[in-house]
Amino acid sequence: MSETTSQLRERRWGMVIDLDRCTGCGACVAACKAENNVPEVSRRDAFSGRVMNWIRVAHSESQERHGPSAAYPILCLHCDDPPCTKVCPVHATYVGVDGIVGQTYPRCIGCRYCMGACPYTVKVFNWHEPQWESELRAHTNPDVSLRPKGVVEKCTFCSHRLQTARDDAACESRDVEESDYQPACVEVCPARAMTFGDLRDPNSDVSSMARSPRSHRMLEELGTEPSVIYLKERERRV
Amino acid sequence: MSTHFVFLATCLLGAVLPTSLHAASPQQPIAYNHNLHVSELEIPCTECHIGAESADHATLPPKEICATCHEDGPIGESDEEAKLIEFIEGPDPIEWIRLTRVSEHVHFSHRRHVKAGQLLCERCHGQMAEHEVPITRPAISFRREIGMQRCIACHKESGNARATVDCVLCHR
């Protein structure tokens, strides 16, 4: 066996979001909810700020007429040095394979320290047992579990898709290609504002985009080293 | 008084224990015989469990697979075979009851273990080929439940660098 088949190559999965392309349409938000069985919440909960989304689009008012898009998709940034994992008392959230920040639901005790520690506020808590209308429940994605009440959840970079991609690759004695593994939000973006791939591979699209002079990381000064990189011509901050 | 209590308690226990032990043993629609088909007729496991080399789930066989041998009338004289033929001639599928499963928050892939990992079914399911009647508890050789410890123990022992202990690759 060659080097690559005996051990699937180590990667750092990452995403580049081109804010100059993003129209703020919200397709990524809808696709993510469907893909990951992220439940709807009641009006009451929504008003108390308990909306559940793994990706959301923040909007800010543009100062100029016909100014650049002011939409800003925010998801778990899969930090290399995440503040959330450091405060987890039970190792339910941690930096896992290929830099994906995992969230192991049966291990989570619901203390929500990680939610407080996350500077990007991308983690959400299940205040209730998830509820769907019966028809919607029948159409939940079988590859993603329904989280029980009392656990924290967040974007996983659709790691269930990585599981299948690795199975495909191993059964065919080859390595995982970038095209084998793309999260739902990236796949669905009509403006092609999102690109996903291996940041460790200097020849990948994400790596070359990450080197663009337009690139920045959210709250860069915190030193969290996110795997999600934003591109923007003008303002460099949210 | 106290003897009455002990007597009562014993009765209660006697009533509760057997039912709770047997509550889980389901009645399969047909008393299928692995030993006959596998050990004697030497039908390969994957002839019936068609997903074991190619998918996540091994799957339980639809009647069309049984029909390849059983559709031209009874081969023997067993009542169970008569039931099967009734199914084959009728419109209903055979609804096998599946016992062996992991929780939905775990990713387990048969093809990954059988095809990529080259593991024999026996490694995990024990001697299925010896069963003359359907199993009544999950077919996992090491213990009654498929606990995480068993997965991890083999992954660590296997010496295969791809047998992971990373939560992200098993949990979902």
Side-chain angles (χ1 to χ4, degrees):
Chain A
M1 262 194 217
S2 72
E3 184 68 17
T4 46
T5 51
S6 66
Q7 164 99 64
L8 294 175
R9 189 157 50 123
E10 220 180 290
R11 314 223 179 215
R12 184 174 175 205
W13 298 109
M15 190 185 288
V16 175
I17 304 180
D18 190 336
L19 298 173
D20 295 332
R21 277 174 165 269
C22 175
T23 63
C25 71
C28 52
V29 179
C32 171
K33 257 187 128 71
E35 176 76 14
N36 291 298
N37 306 329
V38 182
E40 296 293 340
V41 299
S42 66
R43 279 173 72 85
R44 219 187 117 112
D45 275 1
F47 279 121
S48 358
R50 293 172 178 181
V51 173
M52 294 183 78
N53 278 325
W54 286 9
I55 181 168
R56 63 180 194 269
V57 182
H59 291 269
S60 66
E61 302 251 327
S62 177
Q63 301 306 317
E64 305 153 52
R65 202 164 111 83
H66 303 304
S69 158
Y72 209 109
I74 303 174
L75 65 162
C76 171
L77 305 184
H78 296 272
C79 306
D80 227 13
D81 193 10
C84 64
T85 60
K86 296 199 186 84
V87 297
C88 177
V90 295
H91 198 66
T93 187
Y94 77 111
V95 182
V97 64
D98 298 349
I100 295 178
V101 176
Q103 190 80 31
T104 314
Y105 311 120
R107 184 76 185 150
C108 178
I109 55 169
C111 70
R112 293 179 281 139
Y113 288 173
C114 63
M115 287 175 70
C118 173
Y120 310 105
T121 59
V122 294
K123 297 194 144 190
V124 289
F125 185 64
N126 286 271
W127 288 94
H128 310 284
E129 209 60 52
Q131 290 192 339
W132 278 275
E133 290 164 42
S134 59
E135 204 173 315
L136 285 180
R137 192 180 183 96
H139 293 99
T140 50
N141 182 355
D143 289 345
V144 179
S145 64
L146 306 185
R147 278 77 60 189
K149 173 181 172 178
V151 304
V152 174
E153 59 180 65
K154 67 164 190 73
C155 157
T156 63
F157 270 170
C158 288
S159 62
H160 55 287
R161 292 188 174 198
L162 175 62
Q163 293 172 343
T164 308
R166 288 173 71 98
D167 290 347
D168 285 339
C171 289
E172 293 163 17
S173 309
R174 59 175 177 84
D175 224 320
V176 177
E177 304 294 333
E178 280 181 0
S179 56
D180 297 330
Y181 170 40
Q182 294 286 311
C185 55
V186 176
E187 237 175 33
V188 81
C189 177
R192 304 231 183 90
M194 302 168 120
T195 311
F196 188 80
D198 183 5
L199 287 169
R200 192 169 284 180
D201 173 359
N203 301 317
S204 68
D205 288 349
V206 279
S207 302
S208 54
M209 291 168 94
R211 290 190 296 264
S212 150
R214 289 195 296 141
S215 78
H216 69 279
R217 288 166 161 87
M218 211 197 290
L219 305 179
E220 213 148 354
E221 62 277 16
L222 296 180
T224 52
E225 299 292 328
S227 299
V228 176
I229 293 145
Y230 293 89
L231 303 184
K232 192 157 178 66
E233 204 63 70
R234 291 148 216 252
E235 308 103 308
R236 294 260 157 140
R237 295 277 149 77
V238 236
Chain B
M1 184 64 183
S2 70
T3 48
H4 273 174
F5 178 76
V6 171
F7 176 70
L8 236 154
T10 323
C11 287
L12 275 175
L13 249 173
V16 169
L17 262 185
T19 41
S20 58
L21 282 179
H22 288 285
S25 38
Q27 184 74 41
Q28 294 286 359
I30 298 169
Y32 168 78
N33 182 338
H34 269 92
N35 185 49
L36 171 75
H37 289 86
V38 181
S39 303
E40 288 180 32
L41 301 172
E42 295 182 350
I43 309 176
C45 312
T46 48
E47 199 87 359
C48 289
H49 303 295
I50 51 172
E53 280 174 336
S54 57
D56 287 355
H57 297 294
T59 71
L60 295 174
K63 64 182 178 183
E64 286 73 18
I65 295 179
C66 320
T68 54
C69 297
H70 286 280
E71 74 181 339
D72 305 325
I75 315 173
E77 280 161 17
S78 110
D79 292 345
E80 295 301 321
E81 198 191 4
K83 280 193 211 163
L84 171 63
I85 288 169
E86 218 170 281
F87 271 111
I88 292 174
E89 287 170 353
D92 299 332
I94 310 177
E95 288 181 359
W96 302 112
I97 300 162
R98 178 172 157 205
L99 296 171
T100 316
R101 66 168 80 238
V102 291
S103 304
E104 64 157 13
H105 61 75
V106 175
H107 168 63
F108 178 83
S109 162
H110 270 91
R111 65 176 172 143
R112 184 69 189 265
H113 289 87
V114 174
K115 188 155 181 260
Q118 294 286 310
L119 293 168
L120 296 172
C121 318
E122 291 91 287
R123 279 296 294 280
C124 301
H125 294 302
Q127 294 303 322
M128 280 306 293
E130 283 168 14
H131 288 275
E132 292 181 353
V133 289
I135 51 166
T136 51
R137 52 166 86 136
I140 287 293
S141 54
F142 353 83
R143 36 178 275 186
R144 286 213 206 143
E145 308 290 333
I146 313 162
M148 176 164 103
Q149 298 86 330
R150 297 312 316 180
C151 317
I152 301 279
C154 177
H155 281 201
K156 283 191 174 155
E157 284 159 16
S158 73
N160 183 329
R162 295 189 300 198
T164 181
V165 291
D166 196 312
C167 331
V168 169
L169 291 174
C170 284
H171 287 275
R172 48 167 47 172

